Structure formats: structure tokens, C-alpha cells
Amino acid sequence: MNRERIGYGLIGCGGFGRFCLGEYRTMPDLRCVAVTDRDPELLRSTAGEFGVEAITEVETLLKHPDIDIVHLATPPFTHPALAMQALQAGKHVLCEKPLALKEADAKAMVMMAEAQGKVLAVNLIMRYNPLCAAVRRLVESQLLGDPLHATLVNAAQDERLPAEHWFWDPESSGGIFIEHGVHFFDLFEWWFGAGEVVSAVQLRRPGSKIVDQVQCSVRYGESTLGTFYHGFHQMHRRDRQTWLLVFETGTVSLDGWVPTDLVIDMHGSQRELEEAGALIPGSSVEVVQTYADDEQVSRSRHRVRTVEVHGRIRADAGCSKLELYGKILRDLMEDQVAAIRDPRHVRRVTESNGVSSLAYALRAQELAEASG
Ligand SMILES: NC(=O)c1ccc[n+]([C@@H]2O[C@H](COP(=O)([O-])OP(=O)(O)OC[C@H]3O[C@@H](n4cnc5c(N)ncnc54)[C@H](O)[C@@H]3O)[C@@H](O)[C@H]2O)c1
């Protein structure tokens, strides 16, 4: 029975590695075998808590015959060397984001994975969030017309990021666009197609070298503009993220960096409202206002639009943010496990998404640094 399960090993028992381990050990397809960490006390306590082997050396973990996939949950600057080592040892790799800090490293890692015939997935979870998938279906359906503008305002907590944390050191993390922004560059590319970073800016915390606010704009095709703001300066209790997507005939709002709530506000026909609702399982559809025949002609973008109703669609994740986070982590892992079992399996997140999301982040970082 155990032979049929995919063996999992974790490198890096920090906050996120442990959170993931707690989720992965509930997956019937996965067997959590061993963990390693540089910190011996953390290694011992993690192994004890999760009932897995504690291995002090990465090299030893990578030789373990029962481990098929290695999760790299170490700080970003360590990803290229550790991923290369794991791939050369014949292991599949689930690498934490970002894949690397340099594009050349990321490409070399992907080439190594191809040469070894192994999976090298990056934990870009946003594509597995059902609400984000619903937005993608909405964009494809054209029920709200073209997407025109999408913005993310990420006012994140820094209460758990002391000044000496690797997050603030660009040599270790790559900076905010690279360490964190890749999630959102990846998601917007999934929604809107390939984009081009057109401007970026960064601000340092007064009296310090720390960059704690960054912003950039990305153009997608001819008519969609994306803007991303990331600021790490809030109390834990005030950690807030809001999203607003403006379409030709409606808006979509999302709440939370792992979005848990979605609201669509739209004007259109009764059929369009119903079809949009049907794209989002579990949603509620409300007619806010019905227009009489002589009120139905409206105009925007120099086009005539027939508006029968003003409608609102609401959906939520049906669980807490933490439960949703865990579920989408498991779904991403399950997708990769399916590809390990059958290389013909088509995954939602692949190696190329790791490289592509990093390319946006590097360009944004370059433009932001030029800004001061
Ligand atoms: N996908 C997501 O949603 C998500 C969320 C949070 C963090 N992350 C990513 O997870 C990674 C880890 O973040 P974290 O917050 O858990 O960091 P952390 O600092 O809490 O943990 C990192 C751990 O790695 C260990 N480590 C460092 N170098 C090592 C090495 N060479 N060999 C063995 N162990 C080593 C450290 O001792 C530490 O325990 C980062 O890349 C981060 O960007 C991803």
C-alpha cells in the first residue's frame, strides 16, 4: 500500500514548511517520510510533531529511497542550489516561490528538470483558488465584455517580520515583487494572457534602507491594465487585501490575498446575469434593479448596450481563509502528483509559470530600483 503512495520529504521546517506538512500529511496519495532543517531543535520538534524521520543533512534526505518528491520551503536565495541538487539526485521538486532570484538560474533549473524527466513545480497557489478560477471563466465568457483594469491593493502585516528577517534583505528574498509579487503576476497572466511591465516604483521606510512599499503597472494586450500595490507595514490585525476588476459592463471585487469572497456587480440582460451566476457554483444571484423597455438603451465606449437589469452575484469560499489556503495547497500538490504518476496529465501550474512570474517580478524590480 505504502509503495503506491508518493513519498514526500521537506527541506525547511520554518513557518510555511510546517503549515504545508500539516496539510500534505492528510493527503491519501502522499506519504510524509522525512524532514530536514539547518536548525537542529526545529528539526527535532517538527519530526516529533508530525511523526516523520528527522534527517540532519540535505544530502542524506535526497538519498532516501522512499522519497519521490522534495518540497523546498527554505528562503528564496537557497532555491536554485537545493533544487539542482534534488533534481540531480533523481527527485521531483515542489519549490516554494520564487523559483529563483535570477532568470538564468530559473531557466537552468527547468532545463535540469527536463533532462532528468522530473517535475519542478512552483507553489503558485492562486490558480487553484475556486474564486480565482471563477474569474478566469468570467473573463473567457465575455459576459461582462472586455476586462479593462484590474488592481490589487495588498496592505500586508509586518508584525511577524522583524527588521532582521530575511524577507527585508534583497540578497535573500529578491525584494517584495520577487518574494511575494510572483503570486499575483502569475494569476493576472492566467486571467488576461501575457503582459508587459510598463512602470514601477518603490518607497523606503523613512530613516531606513528597508523598501516596504512597491507598486507597478502591467499592460495586457490592447485594452487591459493591471496595477499591483504591495505594502508590508500593517499590524497583524489590519492585514487587508482588496481587488477590483473593472470590465466594460461590470466590476468584480475580491477580498483577501487568498481571496475568500467575490462580488460581481453588473449591468446587462437577464440572460447574461444568469449565465454569469452559473459560472460560479454556489453563488447567489440578485436583481438589484429592472429597467423598463424605454430605459434599456445605454452607451459606453461609443457603443450601444441594452440593459435589462442591474444584478449582483455573490460567492464565498464556504470556509475560513486558513482552510481554503490548506485546500488549495493540497490541490496544487495533487495536480503535481498526478503528473508524477502519469506524465500525460495536464497541470494547472507548470515549470514555465515559475519562470514567467519571475520575469515580471525582475522587470518590475528593475524599474522600481531606477525610481529611487
Ligand atoms: N506559497 C505560499 O503561499 C508561501 C507562503 C509563505 C511562504 N512561502 C515561501 O516559503 C519559503 C519559506 O518561507 P518561511 O516563511 O517558512 O521561512 P522561514 O524562515 O520561517 O523558514 C525557512 C526554514 O528553512 C531553513 N533553512 C534555510 N536554509 C536551509 C538549508 N540550506 N537547508 C535546510 N534548511 C534550511 C531555516 O532554518 C528555516 O527553518 C520562502 O520561499 C517563502 O517565500 C510561500
Side-chain angles (χ1 to χ4, degrees):
M1 162 78 175
N2 277 348
R3 293 286 355 136
E4 286 171 17
R5 292 162 86 187
I6 299 291
Y8 166 91
L10 170 66
I11 303 181
C13 302
F16 197 60
R18 289 166 70 99
F19 178 58
C20 293
L21 184 55
E23 295 299 329
Y24 297 151
R25 73 169 172 170
T26 67
M27 292 176 61
D29 252 8
L30 218 58
R31 184 161 76 98
C32 296
V33 176
V35 296
T36 187
D37 196 285
R38 275 192 172 160
D39 176 341
E41 181 47 35
L42 184 61
L43 172 59
R44 196 190 57 74
S45 64
T46 305
E49 181 182 341
F50 294 95
V52 292
E53 283 177 55
I55 296 180
T56 46
E57 300 299 329
V58 168
E59 294 72 23
T60 315
L61 182 136
L62 292 178
K63 283 188 194 137
H64 201 303
D66 293 342
I67 292 179
D68 305 292
I69 185 165
V70 167
H71 182 200
L72 274 187
T74 51
F77 74 99
T78 65
H79 295 171
L82 288 170
M84 288 300 230
Q85 218 182 323
L87 291 166
Q88 277 164 337
K91 306 299 183 193
H92 299 278
V93 176
L94 170 62
C95 183
E96 265 320 316
K97 51 79 191 168
L99 184 55
L101 302 187
K102 293 184 190 146
E103 205 168 351
D105 285 344
K107 287 182 173 162
M109 293 156 79
V110 173
M111 277 173 65
M112 177 62 77
E114 279 167 9
Q116 295 289 94
K118 299 293 169 195
V119 159
L120 171 61
V122 184
N123 221 358
L124 294 166
I125 53 172
M126 306 301 277
R127 294 176 183 232
Y128 295 83
N129 185 323
L131 296 180
C132 297
V135 170
R136 182 173 144 96
R137 290 194 294 275
L138 200 63
V139 172
E140 282 173 348
S141 74
Q142 284 275 311
L143 287 165
L144 303 185
D146 285 335
L148 303 173
H149 188 248
T151 190
L152 164 73
V153 177
N154 174 16
Q157 66 87 23
D158 71 346
E159 196 164 342
R160 294 173 187 160
L161 293 171
E164 63 281 7
H165 195 285
W166 56 258
F167 175 85
W168 300 114
D169 171 20
E171 301 288 315
S172 301
S173 70
I176 293 174
F177 281 129
I178 293 171
E179 202 281 340
H180 194 66
V182 287
H183 272 310
F184 309 95
F185 291 130
D186 181 58
L187 180 61
F188 276 42
E189 185 174 83
W190 195 48
W191 284 344
F192 306 129
E196 179 199 358
V197 182
V198 290
S199 66
V201 63
Q202 66 180 23
L203 295 179
R204 287 177 202 279
R205 193 167 286 187
S208 131
K209 286 189 173 157
I210 279 180
V211 172
D212 69 351
Q213 298 187 74
V214 298
Q215 180 170 297
C216 77
S217 299
V218 181
R219 179 171 49 209
Y220 299 90
E222 286 186 338
S223 63
T224 310
L225 191 61
T227 62
F228 304 80
Y229 169 79
H230 299 283
F232 282 76
H233 40 43
Q234 295 291 300
M235 293 177 284
H236 175 60
R237 293 192 172 94
R238 287 232 35 95
D239 187 85
R240 297 279 187 283
Q241 291 77 27
T242 58
W243 314 58
L244 181 67
L245 282 65
V246 179
F247 291 74
E248 287 183 295
T249 60
T251 56
V252 177
S253 334
L254 292 161
D255 188 44
W257 88 259
V258 174
T260 50
D261 292 277
L262 172 147
V263 179
I264 300 170
D265 187 81
M266 63 183 283
H267 282 76
S269 65
Q270 180 70 37
R271 176 192 60 81
E272 284 164 337
L273 177 63
E274 283 162 15
E275 284 185 16
L279 290 177
I280 303 158
S283 61
S284 66
V285 177
E286 172 198 0
V287 174
V288 179
Q289 188 175 351
T290 303
Y291 296 95
D293 287 351
D294 61 347
E295 297 173 317
Q296 288 184 357
V297 174
S298 287
R299 284 179 183 79
S300 68
R301 300 190 101 194
H302 302 140
R303 273 183 55 192
V304 173
R305 321 237 176 213
T306 305
V307 174
E308 294 168 9
V309 291
H310 172 200
R312 205 162 284 145
I313 300 166
R314 292 177 196 275
D316 62 42
C319 59
S320 72
K321 176 191 153 189
L322 220 54
E323 285 165 339
L324 177 65
Y325 204 169
K327 182 185 174 335
I328 60 184
L329 283 168
R330 294 194 304 274
D331 287 350
L332 185 147
M333 177 59 101
E334 202 171 286
D335 200 18
Q336 308 305 322
V337 166
I340 292 171
R341 291 199 188 287
D342 178 0
R344 291 165 302 178
H345 173 77
V346 178
R347 290 171 292 160
R348 200 172 277 192
V349 159
T350 67
E351 289 68 22
S352 71
N353 305 127
V355 177
S356 175
S357 57
L358 178 65
Y360 288 92
L362 284 166
R363 180 66 180 139
Q365 179 76 13
E366 187 186 355
L367 292 173
E369 276 169 14
S371 80

